[in-house]
Amino acid sequence: AMERDRNKALLLELQRAAGTGNDRCADCGEPDPVWASYKLGIFICLYCSGIHRNLPGITRVKSLRLDFWENDLIEFMKNHGNLCAKAKYEAKVPPYYYIPHSNDCLVLKEQWIRAKYEREEFVATRVCQDPCAAGSREGFLWMLGPGRRQFHKRQFFLSAREGVMKYYGKESRGPKAVISMESLNAMFQDIKIGHAHGLQITYSTDGQARNLFVYHESGKEIVDWFNAIRAARYHYLRTAFPNVPEHELIPRITRNFVKEGYMEKTGPKHKEAFKERWFSLDSQERNLMYFKDPLDEFARGQIYIGRRDEGYEVRPGLPVGVRVRKRKPVITLVTPGREFVFMCDNDGKQKEWIDALDGVISQ
């Protein structure tokens, strides 16, 4: 028992040691990881440890607090650690490759872990792929058809060199859409699409944002598509903005919505009936879009969100002189042309939306 306690204390000391990188999960960056792979010599979080468990030939995990650690394993951990593993397994991560965070979906984290340790895609001996070549891909994805009823197998084609993504209908006489890299975006939406590998592709057509919802049965395949789109976007941005530094380009390759969810909305006179709408807030485009259904192809409308010094503001409560029957928390979004009134389900949702909208107004 004394040895067990001493070893546990040594491990926790190692995990907290400054300059080792051990105080965050080696795979997703979650702070204070309480698991470790004693085959790779890394400290990882509970969720990533679950993924490591599925790769027994490559990695073996133990809890820092619950399991017994032999002296030789502690010695191994001491001689390795997160920075050491990063230097080996992440030596050649391409700039466009998406490195998942702790709040990202499971398929992104799983494929990142498999790419690093199982396939060793980023070790120093690997040749870094040219983004133009990496951004070329063709194959089939399951795409949600009109009416949101079922998914159909559709052929997709991506070319960084041509700067486009295309997809074909059932009778492929020609592409159903030719999407320019300039407006293309992709984000994982597993919950919204109802599939663990669900991807939302958004692009502009005739000045309107259009959504495509796709998935692939293979986790590797869908993450490869996502990173191919990112490689093609990176190639486009590098070419279109040659003088913009790398650290400014990378966050603009793809983006997630800063917030999504249901609110109720009334019309411009504030006397119309409140209707439930699904809202998506895109901070990069400074756009608040609303849809009748989360899986609609096109938005019912969109509200541009400018800066505070341009007369934009968000606050709790109703505009002066406006009354509503329902007793629910309300938000007023002030724009130079109109005051928008939204109703939230509860105080928590109201605060989340105010904070998210205020974040865009302040940036």
Side-chain angles (χ1 to χ4, degrees):
M2 273 174 69
E3 188 186 9
R4 188 192 183 100
D5 290 347
R6 192 197 69 212
N7 286 0
K8 188 161 91 171
L10 280 171
L11 270 172
L12 290 170
E13 210 176 290
L14 260 181
Q15 187 256 337
R16 295 184 190 118
T20 58
N22 297 341
D23 60 338
R24 286 186 172 270
C25 173
D27 296 323
C28 74
E30 173 80 11
D32 203 25
V34 290
W35 287 77
S37 164
Y38 59 85
K39 262 189 127 172
L40 298 168
I42 56 172
F43 293 83
I44 53 179
C45 71
L46 172 67
Y47 292 105
C48 290
S49 78
I51 299 167
H52 279 256
R53 276 220 171 90
N54 294 329
L55 307 171
I58 288 144
T59 168
R60 286 285 169 92
V61 297
K62 276 182 189 260
S63 162
L64 303 189
R65 294 200 163 98
L66 307 173
D67 292 319
F68 176 72
W69 285 75
E70 293 80 2
N71 292 336
D72 59 331
L73 292 187
I74 289 183
E75 206 51 42
F76 182 77
M77 294 302 294
K78 212 182 274 181
N79 295 330
H80 290 78
N82 290 5
L83 287 185
C84 179
K86 203 179 189 69
K88 178 182 176 181
Y89 294 105
E90 297 181 34
K92 289 265 186 85
V93 181
Y96 56 79
Y97 193 96
Y98 184 79
I99 298 175
H101 307 290
S102 58
N103 56 349
D104 278 312
C105 63
L106 185 65
V107 70
L108 270 173
K109 289 193 268 195
E110 183 184 0
Q111 290 307 316
W112 166 236
I113 288 167
R114 286 184 180 273
K116 277 203 288 185
Y117 310 119
E118 187 179 48
R119 302 192 290 269
E120 295 195 351
E121 284 181 22
F122 315 119
V123 294
T125 49
R126 284 288 176 107
V127 179
C128 241
Q129 248 194 316
D130 160 40
C132 205
S136 300
R137 193 170 184 86
E138 58 182 303
F140 288 92
L141 294 170
W142 289 92
M143 186 176 115
L144 188 62
R148 305 185 296 274
R149 275 190 297 277
Q150 61 198 104
F151 284 85
H152 307 280
K153 206 171 187 179
R154 294 288 178 259
Q155 189 178 15
F156 280 78
F157 169 86
L158 175 72
S159 169
R161 193 163 276 109
E162 290 176 37
V164 295
M165 185 174 188
K166 306 173 191 174
Y167 74 91
Y168 294 83
K170 202 162 65 175
E171 300 84 19
S172 54
R173 278 190 286 273
K176 290 274 279 186
V178 178
I179 303 162
S180 158
M181 275 307 124
E182 187 182 356
S183 72
L184 181 65
N185 185 46
M187 67 182 90
F188 275 91
Q189 290 275 23
D190 53 336
I191 296 164
K192 187 160 142 184
I193 293 171
H195 193 285
H197 307 156
L199 194 67
Q200 178 173 343
I201 294 168
T202 306
Y203 63 97
S204 285
T205 173
D206 303 325
Q208 248 189 317
R210 174 158 189 216
N211 297 317
L212 303 178
F213 301 99
V214 301
Y215 74 85
H216 196 283
E217 295 94 333
S218 153
K220 181 182 185 299
E221 192 69 21
I222 199 72
V223 173
D224 285 351
W225 267 104
F226 178 61
N227 280 306
I229 289 169
R230 284 181 59 88
R233 277 276 302 160
Y234 175 75
H235 177 73
Y236 159 76
L237 290 169
R238 264 267 149 275
T239 313
F241 307 102
N243 303 322
V244 175
E246 187 101 320
H247 71 270
E248 283 180 34
L249 277 189
I250 287 167
R252 303 190 81 87
I253 299 176
T254 56
R255 61 193 185 275
N256 292 331
F257 294 133
V258 287
K259 180 145 180 66
E260 281 197 290
Y262 284 108
M263 289 193 285
E264 291 176 55
K265 176 186 174 297
T266 182
K269 294 183 178 141
H270 305 141
K271 289 183 168 68
E272 302 86 344
F274 276 86
K275 287 179 181 164
E276 189 178 63
R277 294 288 180 256
W278 177 267
F279 286 83
S280 302
L281 178 59
D282 183 339
S283 67
Q284 211 161 284
E285 295 291 317
R286 307 190 76 106
N287 239 342
L288 179 65
M289 295 167 282
Y290 51 94
F291 305 82
K292 193 171 179 185
D293 183 279
L295 297 176
D296 282 347
E297 286 177 54
F298 292 100
R300 283 294 169 105
Q302 53 188 43
I303 304 160
Y304 175 77
I305 299 181
R307 300 193 312 270
R308 207 175 303 286
D309 59 13
E310 297 169 331
Y312 289 82
E313 190 195 337
V314 61
R315 55 173 183 248
L318 291 159
V320 178
V322 176
R323 284 186 171 77
V324 295
R325 284 188 188 154
K326 286 187 186 175
R327 298 218 171 273
K328 276 187 176 179
V330 173
I331 293 172
T332 298
L333 175 63
V334 181
T335 75
R338 172 180 162 188
E339 291 185 339
F340 291 88
V341 177
F342 309 123
M343 206 175 266
C344 303
D345 277 346
N346 54 52
D347 294 344
K349 291 269 186 283
Q350 179 199 40
K351 185 185 183 314
E352 284 172 18
W353 275 109
I354 288 175
D355 290 350
L357 289 161
D358 201 50
V360 179
I361 291 167
S362 305
Q363 75 189 18

mmCIF file of all heavy atoms in Angstrom, residues 132-141 143 154-169 172 174-181 184 201 212 214 221 225 228-229 232:
data_model
loop_
_atom_site.group_PDB
_atom_site.id
_atom_site.type_symbol
_atom_site.label_atom_id
_atom_site.label_comp_id
_atom_site.label_asym_id
_atom_site.label_seq_id
_atom_site.Cartn_x
_atom_site.Cartn_y
_atom_site.Cartn_z
ATOM 1 N N CYS A 132 -2.036 21.021 -52.634
ATOM 2 C CA CYS A 132 -2.754 20.899 -53.905
ATOM 3 C C CYS A 132 -3.079 19.436 -54.200
ATOM 4 O O CYS A 132 -4.179 19.094 -54.621
ATOM 5 C CB CYS A 132 -1.924 21.502 -55.022
ATOM 6 S SG CYS A 132 -2.937 22.048 -56.385
ATOM 7 N N ALA A 133 -2.125 18.554 -53.921
ATOM 8 C CA ALA A 133 -2.356 17.116 -54.130
ATOM 9 C C ALA A 133 -3.285 16.570 -53.055
ATOM 10 O O ALA A 133 -4.194 15.783 -53.333
ATOM 11 C CB ALA A 133 -1.031 16.372 -54.105
ATOM 12 N N ALA A 134 -3.071 17.016 -51.800
ATOM 13 C CA ALA A 134 -3.905 16.542 -50.688
ATOM 14 C C ALA A 134 -5.355 17.017 -50.838
ATOM 15 O O ALA A 134 -6.279 16.375 -50.350
ATOM 16 C CB ALA A 134 -3.337 17.038 -49.368
ATOM 17 N N GLY A 135 -5.545 18.124 -51.543
ATOM 18 C CA GLY A 135 -6.888 18.680 -51.742
ATOM 19 C C GLY A 135 -7.563 18.180 -53.005
ATOM 20 O O GLY A 135 -8.362 18.884 -53.619
ATOM 21 N N SER A 136 -7.209 16.982 -53.428
ATOM 22 C CA SER A 136 -7.864 16.369 -54.588
ATOM 23 C C SER A 136 -8.416 15.022 -54.157
ATOM 24 O O SER A 136 -7.694 14.219 -53.583
ATOM 25 C CB SER A 136 -6.863 16.177 -55.724
ATOM 26 O OG SER A 136 -6.344 17.436 -56.092
ATOM 27 N N ARG A 137 -9.699 14.812 -54.443
ATOM 28 C CA ARG A 137 -10.326 13.580 -53.953
ATOM 29 C C ARG A 137 -11.606 13.340 -54.727
ATOM 30 O O ARG A 137 -12.302 14.278 -55.104
ATOM 31 C CB ARG A 137 -10.646 13.785 -52.465
ATOM 32 C CG ARG A 137 -10.998 12.524 -51.735
ATOM 33 C CD ARG A 137 -11.055 12.742 -50.235
ATOM 34 N NE ARG A 137 -11.307 11.452 -49.608
ATOM 35 C CZ ARG A 137 -10.373 10.593 -49.287
ATOM 36 N NH1 ARG A 137 -9.109 10.875 -49.504
ATOM 37 N NH2 ARG A 137 -10.678 9.424 -48.752
ATOM 38 N N GLU A 138 -11.927 12.069 -54.955
ATOM 39 C CA GLU A 138 -13.261 11.768 -55.473
ATOM 40 C C GLU A 138 -13.770 10.480 -54.864
ATOM 41 O O GLU A 138 -12.992 9.619 -54.461
ATOM 42 C CB GLU A 138 -13.298 11.746 -57.002
ATOM 43 C CG GLU A 138 -12.398 10.789 -57.688
ATOM 44 C CD GLU A 138 -12.538 10.948 -59.211
ATOM 45 O OE1 GLU A 138 -13.666 10.816 -59.723
ATOM 46 O OE2 GLU A 138 -11.519 11.207 -59.863
ATOM 47 N N GLY A 139 -15.093 10.413 -54.747
ATOM 48 C CA GLY A 139 -15.681 9.231 -54.131
ATOM 49 C C GLY A 139 -17.140 9.481 -53.810
ATOM 50 O O GLY A 139 -17.709 10.509 -54.197
ATOM 51 N N PHE A 140 -17.744 8.538 -53.100
ATOM 52 C CA PHE A 140 -19.174 8.633 -52.790
ATOM 53 C C PHE A 140 -19.402 9.033 -51.337
ATOM 54 O O PHE A 140 -18.683 8.591 -50.441
ATOM 55 C CB PHE A 140 -19.861 7.290 -53.062
ATOM 56 C CG PHE A 140 -19.992 6.996 -54.530
ATOM 57 C CD1 PHE A 140 -19.015 6.267 -55.201
ATOM 58 C CD2 PHE A 140 -21.094 7.468 -55.238
ATOM 59 C CE1 PHE A 140 -19.127 6.010 -56.567
ATOM 60 C CE2 PHE A 140 -21.221 7.210 -56.602
ATOM 61 C CZ PHE A 140 -20.242 6.482 -57.266
ATOM 62 N N LEU A 141 -20.385 9.892 -51.141
ATOM 63 C CA LEU A 141 -20.854 10.252 -49.800
ATOM 64 C C LEU A 141 -22.369 10.105 -49.796
ATOM 65 O O LEU A 141 -23.018 10.257 -50.833
ATOM 66 C CB LEU A 141 -20.476 11.704 -49.466
ATOM 67 C CG LEU A 141 -18.989 12.036 -49.331
ATOM 68 C CD1 LEU A 141 -18.792 13.538 -49.246
ATOM 69 C CD2 LEU A 141 -18.364 11.359 -48.120
ATOM 70 N N MET A 143 -25.766 11.663 -49.062
ATOM 71 C CA MET A 143 -26.215 13.052 -48.941
ATOM 72 C C MET A 143 -27.710 13.110 -48.675
ATOM 73 O O MET A 143 -28.491 12.387 -49.309
ATOM 74 C CB MET A 143 -25.889 13.802 -50.233
ATOM 75 C CG MET A 143 -26.178 15.275 -50.166
ATOM 76 S SD MET A 143 -25.653 16.083 -51.689
ATOM 77 C CE MET A 143 -27.240 16.606 -52.308
ATOM 78 N N ARG A 154 -24.171 9.799 -53.415
ATOM 79 C CA ARG A 154 -23.850 10.756 -54.473
ATOM 80 C C ARG A 154 -22.337 10.833 -54.669
ATOM 81 O O ARG A 154 -21.571 10.718 -53.711
ATOM 82 C CB ARG A 154 -24.380 12.157 -54.120
ATOM 83 C CG ARG A 154 -25.911 12.245 -54.070
ATOM 84 C CD ARG A 154 -26.502 12.181 -55.464
ATOM 85 N NE ARG A 154 -27.955 12.203 -55.481
ATOM 86 C CZ ARG A 154 -28.730 11.134 -55.648
ATOM 87 N NH1 ARG A 154 -28.172 9.936 -55.775
ATOM 88 N NH2 ARG A 154 -30.045 11.241 -55.705
ATOM 89 N N GLN A 155 -21.949 11.052 -55.909
ATOM 90 C CA GLN A 155 -20.524 11.139 -56.213
ATOM 91 C C GLN A 155 -20.037 12.572 -56.003
ATOM 92 O O GLN A 155 -20.648 13.523 -56.501
ATOM 93 C CB GLN A 155 -20.256 10.706 -57.647
ATOM 94 C CG GLN A 155 -18.758 10.589 -57.916
ATOM 95 C CD GLN A 155 -18.456 10.110 -59.324
ATOM 96 O OE1 GLN A 155 -19.325 10.121 -60.186
ATOM 97 N NE2 GLN A 155 -17.229 9.689 -59.550
ATOM 98 N N PHE A 156 -18.936 12.713 -55.278
ATOM 99 C CA PHE A 156 -18.319 14.024 -55.033
ATOM 100 C C PHE A 156 -16.931 14.062 -55.647
ATOM 101 O O PHE A 156 -16.239 13.042 -55.715
ATOM 102 C CB PHE A 156 -18.224 14.294 -53.522
ATOM 103 C CG PHE A 156 -19.517 14.761 -52.915
ATOM 104 C CD1 PHE A 156 -20.540 13.868 -52.630
ATOM 105 C CD2 PHE A 156 -19.715 16.111 -52.628
ATOM 106 C CE1 PHE A 156 -21.738 14.298 -52.079
ATOM 107 C CE2 PHE A 156 -20.906 16.550 -52.069
ATOM 108 C CZ PHE A 156 -21.929 15.646 -51.782
ATOM 109 N N PHE A 157 -16.535 15.250 -56.062
ATOM 110 C CA PHE A 157 -15.239 15.448 -56.710
ATOM 111 C C PHE A 157 -14.657 16.755 -56.168
ATOM 112 O O PHE A 157 -15.331 17.785 -56.160
ATOM 113 C CB PHE A 157 -15.455 15.525 -58.240
ATOM 114 C CG PHE A 157 -14.257 15.981 -59.009
ATOM 115 C CD1 PHE A 157 -13.277 15.073 -59.406
ATOM 116 C CD2 PHE A 157 -14.093 17.322 -59.348
ATOM 117 C CE1 PHE A 157 -12.154 15.502 -60.120
ATOM 118 C CE2 PHE A 157 -12.982 17.759 -60.061
ATOM 119 C CZ PHE A 157 -12.012 16.841 -60.452
ATOM 120 N N LEU A 158 -13.424 16.699 -55.690
ATOM 121 C CA LEU A 158 -12.775 17.877 -55.108
ATOM 122 C C LEU A 158 -11.449 18.112 -55.808
ATOM 123 O O LEU A 158 -10.670 17.177 -55.985
ATOM 124 C CB LEU A 158 -12.537 17.623 -53.613
ATOM 125 C CG LEU A 158 -11.755 18.672 -52.815
ATOM 126 C CD1 LEU A 158 -12.596 19.930 -52.590
ATOM 127 C CD2 LEU A 158 -11.335 18.115 -51.460
ATOM 128 N N SER A 159 -11.214 19.340 -56.248
ATOM 129 C CA SER A 159 -9.936 19.643 -56.902
ATOM 130 C C SER A 159 -9.407 20.995 -56.434
ATOM 131 O O SER A 159 -9.979 22.040 -56.746
ATOM 132 C CB SER A 159 -10.098 19.663 -58.422
ATOM 133 O OG SER A 159 -8.932 20.196 -59.019
ATOM 134 N N ALA A 160 -8.313 20.953 -55.689
ATOM 135 C CA ALA A 160 -7.676 22.205 -55.240
ATOM 136 C C ALA A 160 -7.127 22.964 -56.445
ATOM 137 O O ALA A 160 -7.148 24.190 -56.487
ATOM 138 C CB ALA A 160 -6.550 21.878 -54.263
ATOM 139 N N ARG A 161 -6.647 22.210 -57.438
ATOM 140 C CA ARG A 161 -6.064 22.855 -58.623
ATOM 141 C C ARG A 161 -7.112 23.666 -59.379
ATOM 142 O O ARG A 161 -6.868 24.785 -59.801
ATOM 143 C CB ARG A 161 -5.438 21.785 -59.533
ATOM 144 C CG ARG A 161 -4.539 22.346 -60.624
ATOM 145 C CD ARG A 161 -3.627 21.293 -61.229
ATOM 146 N NE ARG A 161 -2.417 21.120 -60.424
ATOM 147 C CZ ARG A 161 -2.179 20.036 -59.682
ATOM 148 N NH1 ARG A 161 -3.039 19.039 -59.670
ATOM 149 N NH2 ARG A 161 -1.082 19.945 -58.961
ATOM 150 N N GLU A 162 -8.318 23.074 -59.509
ATOM 151 C CA GLU A 162 -9.406 23.804 -60.188
ATOM 152 C C GLU A 162 -10.118 24.770 -59.238
ATOM 153 O O GLU A 162 -10.893 25.618 -59.672
ATOM 154 C CB GLU A 162 -10.432 22.803 -60.739
ATOM 155 C CG GLU A 162 -9.938 21.968 -61.906
ATOM 156 C CD GLU A 162 -10.979 20.933 -62.333
ATOM 157 O OE1 GLU A 162 -12.186 21.231 -62.301
ATOM 158 O OE2 GLU A 162 -10.567 19.812 -62.686
ATOM 159 N N GLY A 163 -9.883 24.583 -57.935
ATOM 160 C CA GLY A 163 -10.514 25.467 -56.947
ATOM 161 C C GLY A 163 -12.000 25.214 -56.778
ATOM 162 O O GLY A 163 -12.767 26.137 -56.475
ATOM 163 N N VAL A 164 -12.444 23.947 -56.986
ATOM 164 C CA VAL A 164 -13.884 23.641 -56.900
ATOM 165 C C VAL A 164 -14.146 22.301 -56.226
ATOM 166 O O VAL A 164 -13.285 21.422 -56.195
ATOM 167 C CB VAL A 164 -14.573 23.612 -58.295
ATOM 168 C CG1 VAL A 164 -14.564 24.969 -58.960
ATOM 169 C CG2 VAL A 164 -13.975 22.535 -59.189
ATOM 170 N N MET A 165 -15.385 22.170 -55.740
ATOM 171 C CA MET A 165 -15.923 20.889 -55.315
ATOM 172 C C MET A 165 -17.213 20.708 -56.102
ATOM 173 O O MET A 165 -17.987 21.664 -56.237
ATOM 174 C CB MET A 165 -16.208 20.897 -53.812
ATOM 175 C CG MET A 165 -16.655 19.550 -53.273
ATOM 176 S SD MET A 165 -16.796 19.619 -51.462
ATOM 177 C CE MET A 165 -17.072 17.898 -51.103
ATOM 178 N N LYS A 166 -17.435 19.501 -56.629
ATOM 179 C CA LYS A 166 -18.653 19.238 -57.411
ATOM 180 C C LYS A 166 -19.334 18.001 -56.848
ATOM 181 O O LYS A 166 -18.663 17.141 -56.268
ATOM 182 C CB LYS A 166 -18.317 18.934 -58.882
ATOM 183 C CG LYS A 166 -17.472 19.957 -59.586
ATOM 184 C CD LYS A 166 -17.073 19.418 -60.976
ATOM 185 C CE LYS A 166 -15.995 20.299 -61.601
ATOM 186 N NZ LYS A 166 -15.493 19.730 -62.850
ATOM 187 N N TYR A 167 -20.638 17.920 -57.053
ATOM 188 C CA TYR A 167 -21.294 16.636 -56.782
ATOM 189 C C TYR A 167 -22.291 16.355 -57.890
ATOM 190 O O TYR A 167 -22.761 17.267 -58.578
ATOM 191 C CB TYR A 167 -21.944 16.596 -55.389
ATOM 192 C CG TYR A 167 -23.211 17.384 -55.232
ATOM 193 C CD1 TYR A 167 -24.455 16.792 -55.469
ATOM 194 C CD2 TYR A 167 -23.188 18.718 -54.828
ATOM 195 C CE1 TYR A 167 -25.632 17.509 -55.327
ATOM 196 C CE2 TYR A 167 -24.354 19.440 -54.670
ATOM 197 C CZ TYR A 167 -25.573 18.832 -54.923
ATOM 198 O OH TYR A 167 -26.731 19.548 -54.772
ATOM 199 N N TYR A 168 -22.576 15.067 -58.083
ATOM 200 C CA TYR A 168 -23.394 14.622 -59.209
ATOM 201 C C TYR A 168 -24.673 13.972 -58.710
ATOM 202 O O TYR A 168 -24.684 13.308 -57.669
ATOM 203 C CB TYR A 168 -22.602 13.632 -60.073
ATOM 204 C CG TYR A 168 -21.414 14.274 -60.743
ATOM 205 C CD1 TYR A 168 -20.210 14.429 -60.057
ATOM 206 C CD2 TYR A 168 -21.508 14.768 -62.033
ATOM 207 C CE1 TYR A 168 -19.112 15.045 -60.657
ATOM 208 C CE2 TYR A 168 -20.416 15.386 -62.639
ATOM 209 C CZ TYR A 168 -19.227 15.525 -61.953
ATOM 210 O OH TYR A 168 -18.157 16.152 -62.544
ATOM 211 N N GLY A 169 -25.747 14.140 -59.472
ATOM 212 C CA GLY A 169 -27.029 13.520 -59.140
ATOM 213 C C GLY A 169 -27.034 12.060 -59.564
ATOM 214 O O GLY A 169 -26.010 11.497 -59.946
ATOM 215 N N SER A 172 -25.888 11.165 -63.880
ATOM 216 C CA SER A 172 -24.805 12.163 -63.897
ATOM 217 C C SER A 172 -24.521 12.670 -65.310
ATOM 218 O O SER A 172 -23.543 12.300 -65.935
ATOM 219 C CB SER A 172 -23.552 11.565 -63.268
ATOM 220 O OG SER A 172 -23.236 10.353 -63.921
ATOM 221 N N GLY A 174 -24.169 15.859 -65.749
ATOM 222 C CA GLY A 174 -23.243 16.953 -65.417
ATOM 223 C C GLY A 174 -23.375 17.199 -63.932
ATOM 224 O O GLY A 174 -24.283 16.679 -63.290
ATOM 225 N N PRO A 175 -22.481 17.989 -63.361
ATOM 226 C CA PRO A 175 -22.563 18.202 -61.918
ATOM 227 C C PRO A 175 -23.835 18.942 -61.509
ATOM 228 O O PRO A 175 -24.290 19.831 -62.222
ATOM 229 C CB PRO A 175 -21.311 19.025 -61.602
ATOM 230 C CG PRO A 175 -20.852 19.597 -62.897
ATOM 231 C CD PRO A 175 -21.350 18.705 -63.979
ATOM 232 N N LYS A 176 -24.402 18.556 -60.363
ATOM 233 C CA LYS A 176 -25.582 19.248 -59.820
ATOM 234 C C LYS A 176 -25.177 20.606 -59.260
ATOM 235 O O LYS A 176 -25.965 21.531 -59.210
ATOM 236 C CB LYS A 176 -26.215 18.413 -58.690
ATOM 237 C CG LYS A 176 -26.885 17.163 -59.158
ATOM 238 C CD LYS A 176 -28.310 17.395 -59.596
ATOM 239 C CE LYS A 176 -29.278 17.447 -58.447
ATOM 240 N NZ LYS A 176 -30.685 17.537 -58.897
ATOM 241 N N ALA A 177 -23.925 20.688 -58.768
ATOM 242 C CA ALA A 177 -23.419 21.965 -58.257
ATOM 243 C C ALA A 177 -21.911 22.004 -58.427
ATOM 244 O O ALA A 177 -21.235 20.988 -58.292
ATOM 245 C CB ALA A 177 -23.776 22.114 -56.780
ATOM 246 N N VAL A 178 -21.413 23.184 -58.765
ATOM 247 C CA VAL A 178 -19.969 23.428 -58.819
ATOM 248 C C VAL A 178 -19.708 24.497 -57.760
ATOM 249 O O VAL A 178 -20.139 25.636 -57.891
ATOM 250 C CB VAL A 178 -19.512 23.903 -60.216
ATOM 251 C CG1 VAL A 178 -18.010 24.187 -60.220
ATOM 252 C CG2 VAL A 178 -19.860 22.858 -61.276
ATOM 253 N N ILE A 179 -19.024 24.088 -56.687
ATOM 254 C CA ILE A 179 -18.863 24.947 -55.515
ATOM 255 C C ILE A 179 -17.465 25.543 -55.503
ATOM 256 O O ILE A 179 -16.469 24.819 -55.562
ATOM 257 C CB ILE A 179 -19.080 24.109 -54.225
ATOM 258 C CG1 ILE A 179 -20.464 23.439 -54.261
ATOM 259 C CG2 ILE A 179 -18.896 24.963 -52.981
ATOM 260 C CD1 ILE A 179 -20.616 22.281 -53.281
ATOM 261 N N SER A 180 -17.390 26.869 -55.419
ATOM 262 C CA SER A 180 -16.089 27.540 -55.405
ATOM 263 C C SER A 180 -15.441 27.422 -54.026
ATOM 264 O O SER A 180 -16.119 27.482 -53.006
ATOM 265 C CB SER A 180 -16.289 29.021 -55.754
ATOM 266 O OG SER A 180 -15.200 29.775 -55.277
ATOM 267 N N MET A 181 -14.116 27.263 -54.039
ATOM 268 C CA MET A 181 -13.365 27.183 -52.774
ATOM 269 C C MET A 181 -13.526 28.445 -51.941
ATOM 270 O O MET A 181 -13.364 28.429 -50.738
ATOM 271 C CB MET A 181 -11.856 27.019 -53.052
ATOM 272 C CG MET A 181 -11.400 25.624 -53.279
ATOM 273 S SD MET A 181 -11.894 24.522 -51.974
ATOM 274 C CE MET A 181 -12.764 23.325 -52.936
ATOM 275 N N LEU A 184 -16.611 27.826 -49.716
ATOM 276 C CA LEU A 184 -16.832 26.481 -49.165
ATOM 277 C C LEU A 184 -16.433 26.391 -47.694
ATOM 278 O O LEU A 184 -15.389 26.886 -47.285
ATOM 279 C CB LEU A 184 -16.004 25.466 -49.974
ATOM 280 C CG LEU A 184 -16.126 23.995 -49.564
ATOM 281 C CD1 LEU A 184 -17.527 23.461 -49.803
ATOM 282 C CD2 LEU A 184 -15.115 23.144 -50.320
ATOM 283 N N ILE A 201 -21.744 20.695 -45.107
ATOM 284 C CA ILE A 201 -20.979 21.476 -46.091
ATOM 285 C C ILE A 201 -21.822 22.692 -46.445
ATOM 286 O O ILE A 201 -23.008 22.558 -46.773
ATOM 287 C CB ILE A 201 -20.668 20.624 -47.343
ATOM 288 C CG1 ILE A 201 -19.705 19.481 -46.954
ATOM 289 C CG2 ILE A 201 -20.075 21.466 -48.458
ATOM 290 C CD1 ILE A 201 -19.541 18.403 -48.013
ATOM 291 N N LEU A 212 -25.411 21.423 -47.356
ATOM 292 C CA LEU A 212 -25.497 20.013 -47.756
ATOM 293 C C LEU A 212 -25.142 19.199 -46.515
ATOM 294 O O LEU A 212 -24.198 19.537 -45.805
ATOM 295 C CB LEU A 212 -24.485 19.678 -48.855
ATOM 296 C CG LEU A 212 -24.513 20.457 -50.164
ATOM 297 C CD1 LEU A 212 -23.390 19.966 -51.067
ATOM 298 C CD2 LEU A 212 -25.847 20.301 -50.864
ATOM 299 N N VAL A 214 -23.996 15.480 -45.254
ATOM 300 C CA VAL A 214 -23.457 14.222 -45.790
ATOM 301 C C VAL A 214 -22.856 13.368 -44.665
ATOM 302 O O VAL A 214 -22.575 13.863 -43.576
ATOM 303 C CB VAL A 214 -22.370 14.479 -46.871
ATOM 304 C CG1 VAL A 214 -22.911 15.284 -48.036
ATOM 305 C CG2 VAL A 214 -21.147 15.175 -46.274
ATOM 306 N N GLU A 221 -12.750 7.652 -43.709
ATOM 307 C CA GLU A 221 -13.115 8.252 -45.000
ATOM 308 C C GLU A 221 -13.674 9.672 -44.813
ATOM 309 O O GLU A 221 -13.303 10.593 -45.527
ATOM 310 C CB GLU A 221 -14.144 7.342 -45.684
ATOM 311 C CG GLU A 221 -14.420 7.667 -47.133
ATOM 312 C CD GLU A 221 -13.270 7.389 -48.096
ATOM 313 O OE1 GLU A 221 -12.372 6.586 -47.779
ATOM 314 O OE2 GLU A 221 -13.290 8.007 -49.177
ATOM 315 N N TRP A 225 -12.019 13.190 -46.047
ATOM 316 C CA TRP A 225 -12.734 14.181 -46.872
ATOM 317 C C TRP A 225 -12.629 15.574 -46.242
ATOM 318 O O TRP A 225 -12.352 16.557 -46.922
ATOM 319 C CB TRP A 225 -14.212 13.801 -47.033
ATOM 320 C CG TRP A 225 -14.480 13.007 -48.264
ATOM 321 C CD1 TRP A 225 -14.716 11.665 -48.343
ATOM 322 C CD2 TRP A 225 -14.546 13.495 -49.618
ATOM 323 N NE1 TRP A 225 -14.910 11.281 -49.654
ATOM 324 C CE2 TRP A 225 -14.815 12.388 -50.465
ATOM 325 C CE3 TRP A 225 -14.385 14.747 -50.199
ATOM 326 C CZ2 TRP A 225 -14.935 12.513 -51.856
ATOM 327 C CZ3 TRP A 225 -14.505 14.870 -51.585
ATOM 328 C CH2 TRP A 225 -14.775 13.767 -52.395
ATOM 329 N N ALA A 228 -9.207 16.872 -46.690
ATOM 330 C CA ALA A 228 -8.980 17.197 -48.111
ATOM 331 C C ALA A 228 -9.617 18.549 -48.449
ATOM 332 O O ALA A 228 -9.024 19.369 -49.164
ATOM 333 C CB ALA A 228 -9.547 16.093 -49.000
ATOM 334 N N ILE A 229 -10.833 18.790 -47.917
ATOM 335 C CA ILE A 229 -11.492 20.094 -48.118
ATOM 336 C C ILE A 229 -10.614 21.191 -47.496
ATOM 337 O O ILE A 229 -10.402 22.248 -48.092
ATOM 338 C CB ILE A 229 -12.909 20.088 -47.503
ATOM 339 C CG1 ILE A 229 -13.845 19.200 -48.334
ATOM 340 C CG2 ILE A 229 -13.469 21.505 -47.385
ATOM 341 C CD1 ILE A 229 -15.205 18.905 -47.693
ATOM 342 N N ALA A 232 -7.632 21.883 -49.719
ATOM 343 C CA ALA A 232 -8.025 22.671 -50.898
ATOM 344 C C ALA A 232 -8.292 24.127 -50.522
ATOM 345 O O ALA A 232 -7.914 25.056 -51.246
ATOM 346 C CB ALA A 232 -9.264 22.049 -51.543
#
